[in-house]
Amino acid sequence: MVSLDESKILKKVPRHVLMEAYGVGVAREEERAGTFFHVDQSTLYSSVNELFKGKIELMDIREALQRYEWLSDYMWNAIQKSSDFFTKKVAEDLSGGYFLRILPGAEVLFPLQSCLMITQEGMEQRIHNIIIAEENSKAHLITSCLQHSAVRKATHIGVTEVYVKRGAYLNSTMVHQWGDETVVRPRSASIIEEDGTFVSNYICLRPVMDVQMYPVAYCRGKGSKVIFNSILYGHRGSFIDAGSKAVLDGSESRAEMISRAVTREGSKIIVRGSIEGNGRECRGHLECKGLILDDESFIQSIPELIARSKSVEITHEAAIGRISEKEILYLMTRKLSKEQATSLIVRGFMDASIMGLPEALTAEISRIIEIATKS
Amino acid sequence: MEVKNLRVELEDRLILEDVSFGLRSSEIHVLFGPNGSGKTSLISAIAGLPGYRIVSGRIIFMGEDITGKSVEERARLGIGVGFQTPPEVTGVKLVDLLKLCLGKGSEDEFSAEEIRLIEHFRLQGFLNREVNVGFSGGERKRAEILQLLFLKPKVMLLDEPDSGVDVESLKIIAGEIQRYIESSGASALVVTHKGDILDYIKAKYGCVLLNGKLYCFMNPKRVYEDIKREGYEGCIKCQMKGEEKW
Ligand SMILES: Nc1ncnc2c1ncn2[C@@H]1O[C@H](COP(=O)(O)OP(=O)(O)O)[C@@H](O)[C@H]1O
Ligand SMILES: [Mg+2]
């Protein structure tokens, strides 16, 4: 059954585009607090659920810049225009992006969603998003970035600036689904104020030619906190260089990084993590677990811990290994084939519950992981 | 199932020299033997676990020679193994493994009868935990036997299902094994060091594995009493093979 809301979205977003998006975390509008669709070079759809009007703002970034003069203070603030070749490209010629603002004190119980899609062969998409979680607000956002299954080769460059104000909580989950010939360069940075919490989850499960990203979080406020979690599944010759960096300037600020990386079929994954403890009594922990499934693949974990005060405490643990033969055989005595046993263990290894999501979203992400590891 | 003159090597060492026995429908046999005599190796060789090299001899199951078949094939044919020390399977929840044992998808629900059995085994609190991770010895055994009951095998190979299990749990485990054997017509080979389990299962024969061979097929309680009295030494002296009984 097509609901009224869906027919509204269908006027703007072609059905085949919508159907593909549903496979990577996009849900029906009525299950989300807000929905944003950017396809190729333009915003196709942007809407706030009736239940959350007055709590959030969600619109095209260019429209937002026209509407709010003050927004220019946030644009190219957490990230410098000139930081690299890719940020320069976005600054020169913007395809679009979203502006999301969760208003002060608003508690947004439904997740927000944005979908950035490429449907044209060979396209280079240049996105700039700005998210502002105002004081004491609370929200979950799920962003799905994908290319249409008809597209083989594309480039996605996405700049995202996140501002988490005093006492706010923002949980942002990014699901990527690119292709064997696609190059992806997300460029994200966040600034977190006093007692603010930013959770940044990254999920990459489909083969991709080349992803490189290194989002930075500046924990400026006292007691501010950042959590980076990632689930990376490198297969069919993927190359994924995904790291994260936390700069703990605020006293008693916290950083946590948890990653799960699986590599097979000649894929390469580099997991970087850097925690820089500058403020008094700040704490950090970095955890990387990797599974390597064949001799053609590669995993590298590069942790970096920096302390600039004796009151700083930062720890890390990393382990890379293969699946134990004993576990596989055990499952095979339960009528599973070797492949089924392997994918069951791989799926369990890529545990969605590390992401701190509400139960329903965890289940959604688990389903996406299940589908990706089955094929 | 019929095991004929099985000779098994592990890491180039001869573990089983010449083992023969048969298991008929609804029969339970109990296997005794000192530590290291090769009981686990025998079960592993029948289950088809790699490393246990069958040098000669045959395993016939339901009229078919399965000696060369893979672990998975044997499991699908109906050979169920209850491990002596089940491994921890990180990341896989007990609930999902139980559903797989039942042939269910992850979205399918348990039936009322299945839930009853889970509760009877006192495992409802373990469903969302990773398989065997942090389980005590007895909890592992309960989870192990429950998986086997859900697999509905034609032959159960149970390696010390009673080790580390408290009295009450033993009653539950053994009682359900007996019930399953009676109702399904399946058979079981139970490895044990203790006699207590014999109070809850109706085993037909007890036998002893010594020096790579099986001895003494007779009333399991008597075998157990003899071992308690005379030790395994007594079995060597006695050397009653009694294979003519099959
Ligand atoms: N993986 C292994 N590698 C080498 N020897 C083993 C291995 N596993 C068991 N053994 C040896 O094989 C013999 C038989 O072991 P096992 O079948 O486990 O005996 P039981 O179950 O009767 O105690 C023992 O001497 C044991 O030490
Ligand atoms: Mg043993």
Side-chain angles (χ1 to χ4, degrees):
Chain A
M1 226 182 60
V2 176
S3 70
L4 281 175
D5 270 341
E6 194 185 326
S7 61
K8 196 173 82 192
I9 194 169
L10 274 172
K11 277 186 195 139
K12 302 272 182 65
V13 184
R15 179 174 287 275
H16 70 105
V17 167
L18 204 54
M19 292 329 274
E20 298 231 344
Y22 282 156
V24 276
V26 175
R28 286 171 198 283
E29 275 192 281
E30 50 274 36
E31 292 166 31
R32 299 294 195 233
T35 297
F36 180 89
F37 256 91
H38 178 101
V39 176
D40 299 331
Q41 307 287 21
S42 53
T43 298
L44 284 198
Y45 189 77
S46 174
S47 151
V48 172
N49 188 320
E50 282 299 327
L51 297 169
F52 297 94
K53 290 253 159 84
K55 290 192 166 187
I56 47 185
E57 290 178 282
L58 179 59
M59 67 190 85
D60 177 89
I61 187 78
R62 278 180 286 224
E63 189 188 324
L65 283 166
Q66 277 177 1
R67 191 181 300 186
Y68 300 121
E69 220 171 285
W70 51 262
L71 188 56
S72 56
D73 293 343
Y74 290 86
M75 187 99 177
W76 299 114
N77 174 30
I79 302 177
Q80 299 306 303
K81 255 183 218 181
S82 56
S83 27
D84 70 6
F85 176 71
F86 299 97
T87 52
K88 277 181 205 152
K89 275 192 161 193
V90 173
E92 275 162 20
D93 182 12
L94 185 67
S95 305
Y98 59 82
F99 166 64
L100 168 65
R101 181 171 174 226
I102 304 114
L103 296 173
E107 195 162 329
V108 185
L109 298 172
F110 286 20
L112 290 139
Q113 67 182 357
S114 68
C115 177
L116 310 168
M117 196 190 287
I118 297 175
T119 67
Q120 282 173 35
E121 188 62 39
M123 163 159 293
E124 181 171 294
Q125 192 177 50
R126 304 171 183 188
I127 301 287
H128 195 141
N129 306 314
I130 293 179
I131 304 171
I132 302 174
E134 297 285 3
E135 289 191 6
N136 298 314
S137 64
K138 186 177 179 194
H140 287 87
L141 165 70
I142 173 158
T143 301
S144 311
C145 301
L146 70 156
Q147 69 193 52
H148 195 279
S149 55
V151 175
R152 282 183 306 112
K153 189 175 176 167
T155 306
H156 171 89
I157 309 169
V159 171
T160 303
E161 295 181 88
V162 178
Y163 301 92
V164 178
K165 301 289 183 72
R166 211 141 60 91
Y169 173 94
L170 177 69
N171 183 314
S172 166
T173 300
M174 189 154 73
V175 183
H176 272 189
Q177 178 164 313
W178 304 108
D180 306 65
E181 297 179 44
T182 294
V183 175
V184 184
R185 291 291 181 270
R187 293 292 179 259
S188 311
S190 51
I191 295 174
I192 306 152
E193 294 184 359
E194 193 176 328
D195 292 324
T197 299
F198 178 45
V199 183
S200 172
N201 297 318
Y202 178 58
I203 300 168
C204 183
L205 303 169
R206 296 284 173 176
V208 57
M209 184 170 92
D210 183 349
V211 179
Q212 188 272 322
M213 58 191 265
Y214 197 56
V216 190
Y218 301 96
C219 286
R220 297 245 169 104
K222 179 171 182 258
S224 56
K225 185 171 181 181
V226 67
I227 300 171
F228 283 105
N229 300 311
S230 58
I231 295 181
L232 312 169
Y233 185 39
H235 52 134
R236 286 205 342 237
S238 294
F239 176 79
I240 303 169
D241 179 347
S244 48
K245 177 174 174 169
V247 181
L248 302 177
D249 288 330
S251 60
E252 293 167 49
S253 56
R254 302 268 178 280
E256 247 174 62
M257 295 176 184
I258 301 178
S259 55
R260 298 282 181 272
V262 178
T263 174
R264 67 195 305 178
E265 297 153 3
S267 300
K268 255 187 163 183
I269 297 182
I270 302 171
V271 184
R272 298 172 201 269
S274 172
I275 301 178
E276 195 179 316
N278 302 326
R280 275 191 45 257
E281 305 284 339
C282 58
R283 302 274 176 275
H285 182 67
L286 205 152
E287 177 192 310
C288 172
K289 283 191 189 168
L291 258 191
I292 176 160
L293 298 185
D294 56 41
D295 294 336
E296 288 68 53
S297 297
F298 174 93
I299 296 189
Q300 185 177 15
S301 165
I302 311 177
E304 186 181 46
L305 315 180
I306 299 166
R308 289 203 175 86
S309 151
K310 68 174 180 183
S311 63
V312 167
E313 228 174 78
I314 311 173
T315 52
H316 94 90
E317 55 181 298
I320 295 173
R322 60 182 172 137
I323 300 179
S324 105
E325 185 73 7
K326 212 172 164 183
E327 290 174 38
I328 298 280
L329 284 166
Y330 181 65
L331 294 173
M332 286 171 76
T333 65
R334 271 59 172 152
K335 298 188 190 168
L336 268 64
S337 68
K338 193 171 184 156
E339 293 67 40
Q340 285 171 319
T342 305
S343 76
L344 187 67
I345 290 174
V346 166
R347 207 179 315 146
F349 181 81
M350 298 194 286
D351 179 8
S353 68
I354 64 169
M355 311 222 138
L357 298 169
E359 212 173 300
L361 266 188
T362 304
E364 280 180 42
I365 301 293
S366 297
R367 217 168 304 129
I368 296 172
I369 293 173
E370 188 170 339
I371 293 164
T373 48
K374 262 184 186 161
S375 55
Chain B
M1 185 173 76
E2 219 179 322
V3 172
K4 286 185 187 168
N5 306 106
L6 209 62
R7 199 176 165 86
V8 175
E9 280 181 6
L10 177 62
E11 313 243 311
D12 289 328
R13 230 184 85 205
L14 187 67
I15 306 284
L16 303 176
E17 196 182 316
D18 181 8
V19 171
S20 300
F21 69 95
L23 267 174
R24 267 174 291 213
S25 177
S26 301
E27 281 182 358
I28 301 178
H29 293 189
V30 175
L31 178 63
F32 299 99
N35 293 329
S37 59
K39 303 179 297 297
T40 297
S41 303
L42 175 60
I43 285 183
S44 306
I46 298 171
L49 296 176
Y52 298 87
R53 205 167 72 82
I54 298 179
V55 184
S56 60
R58 293 202 298 161
I59 305 161
I60 311 292
F61 183 63
M62 315 265 297
E64 194 181 346
D65 189 337
I66 60 160
T67 319
K69 290 201 187 297
S70 72
V71 178
E72 183 208 352
E73 282 173 300
R74 294 187 207 203
R76 287 189 181 280
L77 284 170
I79 292 183
V81 200
F83 284 73
Q84 183 181 347
T85 41
E88 297 185 350
V89 192
T90 315
V92 178
K93 285 182 183 168
L94 181 62
V95 61
D96 294 321
L97 185 55
L98 288 174
K99 284 181 181 172
L100 284 166
C101 288
L102 286 163
K104 290 187 175 196
S106 53
E107 311 279 298
D108 298 335
E109 303 283 335
F110 289 116
S111 72
E113 172 60 18
E114 286 152 10
I115 290 172
R116 189 200 65 81
L117 209 52
I118 293 167
E119 286 173 354
H120 190 46
F121 274 70
R122 291 181 284 149
L123 286 170
Q124 61 273 37
F126 293 75
L127 290 177
N128 283 313
R129 283 178 52 179
E130 295 167 283
V131 175
N132 299 327
V133 177
F135 286 27
S136 74
E139 289 159 356
R140 275 183 202 220
K141 290 296 158 90
R142 292 200 319 254
E144 194 67 7
I145 303 303
L146 184 61
Q147 286 168 49
L148 277 194
L149 292 171
F150 281 0
L151 278 167
K152 300 188 180 62
K154 297 199 174 69
V155 166
M156 282 183 159
L157 306 169
L158 305 174
D159 201 349
E160 303 193 19
D162 50 355
S163 295
V165 174
D166 63 61
V167 189
E168 223 173 307
S169 299
L170 176 64
K171 219 164 151 175
I172 296 168
I173 289 177
E176 287 302 326
I177 292 170
Q178 178 62 35
R179 220 166 73 99
Y180 175 70
I181 297 297
E182 273 173 29
S183 64
S184 66
S187 49
L189 179 69
V190 182
V191 173
T192 181
H193 288 294
K194 293 178 289 180
D196 299 345
I197 195 168
L198 298 172
D199 293 339
Y200 310 108
I201 56 172
K202 292 193 200 111
K204 185 162 183 189
Y205 292 110
C207 52
V208 182
L209 184 60
L210 268 178
N211 306 324
K213 290 185 196 141
L214 281 182
Y215 295 95
C216 181
F217 289 87
M218 50 189 204
N219 179 301
K221 283 194 179 167
R222 229 194 99 192
V223 177
Y224 179 66
E225 292 305 322
D226 284 354
I227 294 170
K228 261 210 309 205
R229 211 176 44 248
E230 312 267 347
Y232 290 108
E233 293 301 307
C235 297
I236 297 175
K237 274 187 225 140
C238 171
Q239 299 250 332
M240 269 182 61
K241 279 189 100 173
E243 273 169 277
E244 62 277 6
K245 285 190 181 110
W246 325 94

